[in-house]
Amino acid sequence: MAHRIARFTTLATTCAEALAMGVCVAAVGWGMHLIPRGAPVTTRPPMSAAGPMGSMVMARPVPARKAAMPTISVASLTGPGAAARVRTFTLTARPARLRLGPGVVVDAWTYNGTSPGPTLRVRQGDLVVVHLVNRLPVPTTIHWHGVTVPGGEDGVAGITQDAVAPGHTYTYRFVVRDAGTYWYHAHQDSLTQVPRGLYGALVVTPAAPVPPQSMRDDVDATVVLHTWQIRGKDTLAANGTTGLLRIPARPGAWVRLRLINTDVDMRLVTLVGAPFTVAALDGHDLHGPHPLAATLLPIAAGGRYDLRFRLPAHGAAGLLLADDRRDAPLRAMPAVAIIGMGSFLPTHAAPTHAHGLFDFTAYGTPARGAVTLHTRADASYTLRLGNLSQHGFSAVAHLDPVYTINGKAAPDTAPIMVRRGQLVRLHIVNESGYVHPMHLHGHTLVVLARDGRPLRGSPVTLDTLDVLPGESYDVAFRADNPGIWMLHCHNLYHARYCMSMMIMYEGVTTPFRAGGRAGNVSD
Ligand code: C2O
Ligand code: CU
């Protein structure tokens, strides 16, 4: 445990060199690899004004190969046209000058003039319709991080759509299958667009039955953590404020706090003032979570933690940032948010130091019927995460601009081909010196084991799995959502340089490609 913690903060991203070198940008080459020769190509139906560059690839239909299975275009995998409950939103991507705190001003890219963009609150089973209006000077898209959207609604430029040109509008439609905490962000040149402010929270509340009174939340609040570069300095903001975020709640209230990390590095936080449970990870409820006191919570880049707690009769709870001070007394950790009225950390009963590091492999209680290490998988793959110098040699730390999967840099990483219905196992081994928050689109990963040891507590389902140096994980996903899906590191530097690969369903093709007139940059 101790060495798990020790590794966190020594591994800050060092990608300045990588940026300067402009090495293998994955986006330059995906299209070539993804269009099977001879595959018929269709384009997205003109249901949304994708602009004049809707059908830029392969005008000439080509005869299918002999005995080839029928193919469909990823663009045809869209959400339904109608549903019992429809929630419609318009997100206008546009520049705006934001005031994050006294004297703290940034020229941001925003949705509807704010960053985070509006929190989209919908109910499980709703059809969500989002009109993206692009008023940026550059093309953009929106990806629904963690949501199992249909293949054509995934928002990956050059894979599932063309980037939406300035002045144009594009519509996403998807039914939200699972309740939980998710987020949305640009997936066109995300390395530029997400840090500049193009992200927001997506909260899916459970459909009926409504939980019993004892499980109801009086306050349901979202805290979106984001680091801004301000005058060359990293500055953390919560819900767009660099000051202290105040979340009103009355004494004794039950609170659900949905923490979202939009950064490229892990964030270490803790809650003081009340014992709390980790109710959900990446939007998926944990089974039998037990109360924790001032435990350090490592939130992966792109990951989410739902905390649940009851405010005391007197005093408040505080969300503290422990990043560089995990060994410091709690009172030395800067507060990000205060929940309730008054102050926290007041009494003799409160812990003075943080109590260890949260470990999801041993939290809560096992549940029946879960997929485990013993469940038979239909296919298994090993993914070795590594890095190379730009000359192709294994690199020493700080000189490695290229992050690889099985020794390959995108777009040369081999795709995994899956068939609908398969249970697919992945053995992910981190042989590099960096933390890699591995994110799978369109599916969720059931975590089976870390370093070969099965989970001892609750089943855990994630879409963003932090793999630390030297660690290995066994995970599984059910191939139940046809499409062409990215599996990539959510450290967006690593994704760009070039830790990224595709999970492809047999028979699904894409008419889109990297670059081109739309200027698609998939990561
Ligand atoms: Cu949150 Cu491929 O991204
Ligand atoms: Cu990485």
Side-chain angles (χ1 to χ4, degrees):
M1 180 67 84
H3 81 153
R4 267 182 67 78
I5 305 177
R7 282 180 297 187
F8 283 168
T9 49
T10 54
L11 296 162
T13 311
T14 53
C15 281
E17 311 95 315
L19 283 172
M21 288 175 189
V23 285
C24 78
V25 177
V28 174
W30 278 127
M32 293 299 134
H33 294 247
L34 293 180
I35 303 175
R37 229 179 274 282
V41 169
T42 58
T43 51
R44 188 181 174 100
M47 53 181 294
S48 58
M53 67 296 173
S55 60
M56 42 174 292
V57 193
M58 297 178 86
R60 211 162 8 101
V62 198
R65 276 169 301 178
K66 201 168 49 157
M69 69 183 299
T71 62
I72 52 164
S73 165
V74 71
S76 69
L77 301 169
T78 58
R85 266 177 61 104
V86 185
R87 298 294 315 278
T88 304
F89 302 93
T90 297
L91 293 176
T92 301
R94 62 176 176 89
R97 176 160 289 191
L98 302 181
R99 190 174 168 280
L100 306 176
V104 190
V105 172
V106 287
D107 285 309
W109 286 351
T110 70
Y111 295 116
N112 300 359
T114 66
S115 179
T119 295
L120 310 184
R121 287 189 82 92
V122 298
R123 204 168 70 189
Q124 192 177 12
D126 285 356
L127 171 61
V128 181
V129 178
V130 179
H131 304 297
L132 164 62
V133 181
N134 185 5
R135 302 227 181 286
L136 298 171
V138 295
T140 194
T141 66
I142 302 180
H143 167 63
W144 312 98
H145 183 117
V147 184
T148 54
V149 300
E153 309 287 359
D154 199 36
V156 180
I159 307 287
T160 66
Q161 68 173 96
D162 275 328
V164 183
H168 287 259
T169 296
Y170 187 93
T171 299
Y172 297 93
R173 320 170 63 85
F174 52 89
V175 172
V176 282
R177 185 189 74 185
D178 298 320
T181 306
Y182 305 97
W183 63 300
Y184 59 92
H185 63 78
H187 218 297
Q188 153 76 6
D189 187 13
S190 52
L191 177 57
T192 307
Q193 297 196 359
V194 179
R196 283 190 83 158
L198 292 173
Y199 59 86
L202 171 59
V203 173
V204 185
T205 55
V210 178
Q213 189 65 48
S214 64
M215 285 301 293
R216 258 176 247 172
D217 306 313
D218 304 308
V219 173
D220 183 330
T222 303
V223 178
V224 186
L225 300 172
H226 187 77
T227 299
W228 296 89
Q229 275 285 322
I230 292 169
R231 289 188 287 274
K233 240 185 82 210
D234 282 352
T235 310
L236 184 74
N239 295 357
T241 175
T242 53
L244 193 55
L245 181 68
R246 285 270 177 183
I247 298 172
R250 58 167 177 74
W254 278 100
V255 179
R256 177 177 293 256
L257 209 54
R258 304 171 184 267
L259 309 178
I260 304 176
N261 179 6
T262 68
D263 285 333
V264 300
D265 288 311
M266 177 190 290
R267 287 263 87 90
L268 203 55
V269 300
T270 190
L271 188 93
V272 293
F276 63 91
T277 60
V278 178
L281 290 175
D282 286 1
H284 302 279
D285 284 351
L286 297 178
H287 188 254
H290 55 261
L292 303 168
T295 301
L296 296 170
L297 308 172
I299 313 177
R304 287 88 64 213
Y305 270 62
D306 280 22
L307 309 185
R308 224 176 152 261
F309 54 91
R310 185 169 195 188
L311 282 178
H314 302 285
L319 182 69
L320 307 182
L321 187 66
D323 276 355
D324 328 303
R325 311 189 189 194
R326 55 182 190 271
D327 299 322
L330 291 169
R331 64 181 151 66
M333 293 179 187
V336 176
I338 292 189
I339 305 97
M341 292 171 313
S343 63
F344 55 91
L345 268 188
T347 65
H348 32 277
T352 56
H353 280 75
H355 287 169
L357 184 70
F358 179 72
D359 177 6
F360 70 71
T361 69
Y363 181 69
T365 54
R368 284 159 179 273
V371 174
T372 70
L373 213 45
H374 306 292
T375 313
R376 201 188 61 83
D378 301 299
S380 300
Y381 301 90
T382 295
L383 305 179
R384 297 187 183 279
L385 312 179
N387 43 251
L388 296 171
S389 75
Q390 61 166 338
H391 306 297
F393 301 114
S394 286
V396 287
H398 306 306
L399 291 173
D400 41 357
V402 185
Y403 304 88
T404 56
I405 300 175
N406 293 339
K408 299 277 195 217
D412 295 329
T413 43
I416 288 178
M417 299 298 302
V418 300
R419 210 170 309 137
R420 196 173 185 160
Q422 282 183 325
L423 183 70
V424 181
R425 241 190 49 205
L426 302 176
H427 180 62
I428 304 176
V429 188
N430 187 351
E431 296 174 344
S432 78
Y434 300 85
V435 176
H436 296 301
M438 299 306 290
H439 171 55
L440 174 60
H441 286 215
H443 302 76
T444 50
L445 300 167
V446 179
V447 184
L448 308 175
R450 181 175 67 212
D451 298 335
R453 284 185 295 278
L455 267 60
R456 284 178 286 142
S458 168
V460 171
T461 301
L462 303 176
D463 53 67
T464 311
L465 169 69
D466 238 344
V467 189
L468 272 52
E471 283 185 344
S472 74
Y473 279 92
D474 291 283
V475 299
F477 69 91
R478 180 67 69 184
D480 57 3
N481 193 13
I484 300 175
W485 303 101
M486 276 184 117
L487 170 58
H488 66 88
C489 180
H490 219 282
N491 179 319
L492 298 173
Y493 292 95
H494 298 183
R496 174 66 59 82
Y497 299 94
C498 301
M499 190 171 274
S500 173
M501 61 178 285
M502 294 292 163
I503 308 285
M504 299 179 69
Y505 281 66
E506 287 180 0
V508 180
T509 63
T510 180
F512 308 109
R513 63 183 177 87
R517 249 185 303 158
N520 294 322
V521 179
S522 62
D523 48 9

